[in-house]
Amino acid sequence: MPRVLIIRPEPGASKTARKVRGMGFTPLVLPLTRIESLPAIPSVESSDFAAIALTSPNSARHAPPELVRSLAGLPAYAVGSATAAVACEAGFNVVDESAGDAEGLHRVIAERVTPGAGILVLCGRVRRSVLEQGLRDSGYAPRLVEVYDTVPASPSDDEIAAVLGSGPVDAVLLYSAYAAEEFLRLIEGAGTSHMFETARFIVMSARIGEQLPAALRARAAVAPEPNEDAMLSTLAGNLPHFN
């Protein structure tokens, strides 16, 4: 069966692996990053904000319970359905999950919240500035509160060899620019580049694909929407050519 490398952090990696296996492919789970809760979260007053912006499942998953309880009365706007599911389970009052990406999240908030209001953005330490800049440009007062960090997982050579084995890898799923950077470090440092000579790279956005060198970028396929379902659909459409 075609072999698909999954390098996203847990718990997402195992969830993706189950979906990939269900598609009839062999998942190779090798997280190259891990998510860590930040120990010191600043206190906030819910009365200072009209809404909450949740930028990823991790922004809800790693928010301290006491913070979530203090914000339960505020409407929360999630970047997508996966984020919304985690947020609802954590106790947030999710009112919209249709955004799709950071640009969409800014547009949804602009349609629903009065300009000039305070927006609490729960986010990671590693991020783009698209949402906060869009909110500022539209007259909002965003306050960013970092609740988690993304750090390299640094698997050992033995761990890498145990996952990859000796056969070629048919596809690699890349969910972020940071993941693409870590993948390039992997193939440069572990001497595994020969295993990816015909691999397809399924990327969540064109921006992520641009992180790849030209030779690999030529074999990249961009998901039509920035979510996992679209990525897996793109995977299914590309792998048969490389069986």
Side-chain angles (χ1 to χ4, degrees):
M1 292 189 294
R3 304 194 325 142
V4 180
L5 180 61
I6 301 165
I7 63 172
R8 67 184 307 200
E10 294 288 10
S14 293
K15 293 179 180 178
T16 300
R18 289 193 290 271
K19 295 178 182 179
V20 167
R21 187 176 292 108
M23 296 169 67
F25 306 139
T26 299
L28 307 174
V29 179
L30 183 67
L32 298 184
T33 58
R34 66 177 184 273
I35 304 300
E36 297 182 347
S37 297
L38 292 176
I41 306 299
S43 61
V44 299
E45 292 291 337
S46 61
S47 58
D48 292 339
F49 306 101
I52 305 164
L54 298 171
T55 59
S56 75
N58 287 315
S59 64
R61 185 178 290 120
H62 292 272
E66 60 273 18
L67 176 63
V68 178
R69 286 192 294 270
S70 72
L71 301 173
L74 290 176
Y77 294 83
V79 74
S81 58
T83 299
V86 175
C88 288
E89 184 176 353
F92 286 99
N93 174 30
V94 178
V95 297
D96 192 282
E97 58 182 62
S98 65
D101 57 18
E103 291 88 344
L105 187 54
H106 155 239
R107 290 193 296 270
V108 168
I109 292 173
E111 292 171 357
R112 304 279 294 273
V113 181
T114 303
I119 307 295
L120 178 63
V121 181
L122 299 183
C123 57
R125 185 167 284 170
V126 178
R127 64 179 182 276
R128 298 171 65 203
S129 60
V130 172
L131 175 59
E132 57 192 276
Q133 190 59 54
L135 290 171
R136 289 194 181 97
D137 290 346
S138 296
Y140 294 96
R143 179 182 174 186
L144 276 65
V145 173
E146 298 173 348
V147 297
Y148 70 94
D149 196 9
T150 305
V151 299
S154 303
S156 68
D157 288 348
D158 287 344
E159 290 171 327
I160 294 169
V163 171
L164 296 184
S166 58
V169 175
D170 297 287
V172 181
L173 301 177
L174 298 175
Y175 288 72
S176 69
Y178 191 12
E181 293 172 4
E182 291 302 310
F183 170 75
L184 294 177
R185 291 193 183 94
L186 168 74
I187 61 175
E188 291 168 2
T192 59
S193 59
H194 64 283
M195 302 179 70
F196 299 92
E197 290 177 349
T198 60
R200 291 304 300 256
F201 298 90
I202 311 302
V203 299
M204 187 172 279
S205 71
R207 181 183 67 87
I208 297 169
E210 290 168 0
Q211 303 300 311
L212 299 173
L216 302 187
R217 196 183 314 140
R219 289 184 270 121
V222 181
E225 297 179 11
N227 59 61
E228 183 173 75
D229 287 344
M231 288 183 69
L232 295 182
S233 177
T234 303
L235 173 69
N238 279 267
L239 266 189
H241 303 295
F242 289 82
N243 287 355

